[in-house]
Amino acid sequence: MNLILLGPPGAGKGTQAKRLADKYNIIQLSTGEMLRAAVKEGSEIGRKAKAAMDAGGLVSDEIVIGIIADRIDQPDCANGYILDGFPRTLAQAAALETLLAEKKREINAVINIKVDDDAMIERISGRYACAKCGAGYHDVYLKPAKAGVCDTCAGTEFTRRADDNPETVRSRLMAYYRETAPLIGFYFAKGKLRNVDGMATIDQVTREIEGVLAKI
Ligand code: ADP
Ligand code: ADP
Ligand code: ZN
């Protein structure tokens, strides 16, 4: 099963992708996570991507398409994957169509996580993650069971993304509305779009997505 998770920054794509990957035994492919790893490593891709990421803009189509083309060819993707944060432009969506057609594969569903504009800002401002295992949390909506201790790995250090600040969030929302929102129409026209209510609790959103996937 190959899925796309669509939605604005902070919609809950990463949170849901991790859960779905575990449940359906498929791989989560987050271009954001891959790009952050490249920046940290200081690789050529990382050096090229950094300025756009810091400013809350989009990294070039060429770079992210290259990353995804290599990644979906790896053996661990044979059982399927969830694209989280890709495609983000119509050009990326078209490139993905071409890549999949060459392999005689297809996207089974595009899950569009719908959230109110105000909620995105709130979710992004409260987002943090375990520094050791990457488990995601939120100051208000998803606190670890024991304050300051990661539920998953018992780590006690946490990080916040450099781009999760109020100035950059505005640019990221603008990039979403200009470049990514048209993909909703693109996938609707292809008959692949499935909307879920991203304003529900994390567990409810997971259940709604599972209900959608049970029908495809
Ligand atoms: P995205 O990958 O779409 O940018 P994340 O999955 O990182 O979004 O979620 C953004 C923040 O909002 C995280 O801190 C996460 O814990 C929290 N969050 C995710 N889904 C929900 C939800 N349905 N209700 C409340 N908070 C949520
Ligand atoms: P969000 O939580 O805002 O959805 P991501 O972790 O998906 O953030 O992405 C972080 C940043 O990485 C984006 O603001 C953008 O600069 C870059 N990025 C990630 N995926 C893509 C993509 N498919 N195309 C262009 N830029 C991307
Ligand atoms: Zn952890």
Side-chain angles (χ1 to χ4, degrees):
M1 186 166 62
N2 302 325
L3 304 174
I4 292 174
L5 284 189
L6 205 58
K13 302 181 296 295
T15 305
Q16 299 299 333
K18 287 193 169 61
R19 292 171 162 220
L20 297 169
D22 286 346
K23 168 148 185 173
Y24 296 97
N25 190 27
I26 52 183
I27 300 279
Q28 175 196 8
L29 300 180
S30 157
T31 40
E33 281 179 16
M34 292 182 227
L35 289 166
R36 279 188 290 282
V39 169
K40 211 168 159 190
E41 253 167 39
S43 68
E44 198 192 334
I45 286 178
R47 284 198 301 277
K48 285 186 182 156
K50 189 174 186 308
M53 294 174 77
D54 287 347
L58 294 184
V59 173
S60 78
D61 288 333
E62 193 194 345
I63 290 181
V64 290
I65 292 165
I67 292 179
I68 286 295
D70 288 344
R71 191 63 190 83
I72 61 178
D73 260 348
Q74 303 295 312
D76 62 347
C77 286
N79 193 39
Y81 44 80
I82 307 173
L83 297 171
D84 156 15
F86 180 95
R88 249 177 161 97
T89 64
L90 286 168
Q92 291 175 24
L96 179 63
E97 298 276 304
T98 309
L99 275 174
L100 292 173
E102 282 167 3
K103 295 182 221 299
K104 303 208 170 15
R105 291 294 185 96
E106 61 167 0
I107 294 295
N108 302 96
V110 177
I111 312 281
N112 183 34
I113 306 181
K114 297 179 74 160
V115 290
D116 299 346
D117 290 344
D118 292 336
M120 300 177 212
I121 313 254
E122 209 196 346
R123 287 195 188 170
I124 290 175
S125 349
R127 167 161 63 189
Y128 65 99
C130 172
K132 202 163 131 197
C133 77
Y137 295 98
H138 190 279
D139 291 326
V140 179
Y141 302 115
L142 185 60
K143 303 180 190 177
K146 186 162 178 249
V149 183
C150 175
D151 294 340
T152 309
C153 76
T156 53
E157 276 182 52
F158 297 88
T159 55
R160 283 176 200 264
R161 279 169 48 178
D163 60 343
D164 279 352
N165 63 71
E167 299 78 54
T168 310
V169 165
R170 298 281 164 194
S171 311
R172 285 158 65 199
L173 280 182
M174 197 60 85
Y176 170 79
Y177 280 114
R178 273 183 207 277
E179 307 275 359
T180 311
L183 296 181
I184 297 172
F186 178 87
Y187 287 114
F188 175 75
K190 288 191 164 289
K192 300 276 185 198
L193 194 77
R194 302 290 181 271
N195 289 305
V196 300
D197 175 15
M199 294 306 292
T201 65
I202 295 176
D203 286 343
Q204 283 167 339
V205 176
T206 306
R207 280 197 291 277
E208 195 181 347
I209 297 176
E210 288 170 357
V212 163
L213 296 182
K215 289 189 211 125
I216 63 163

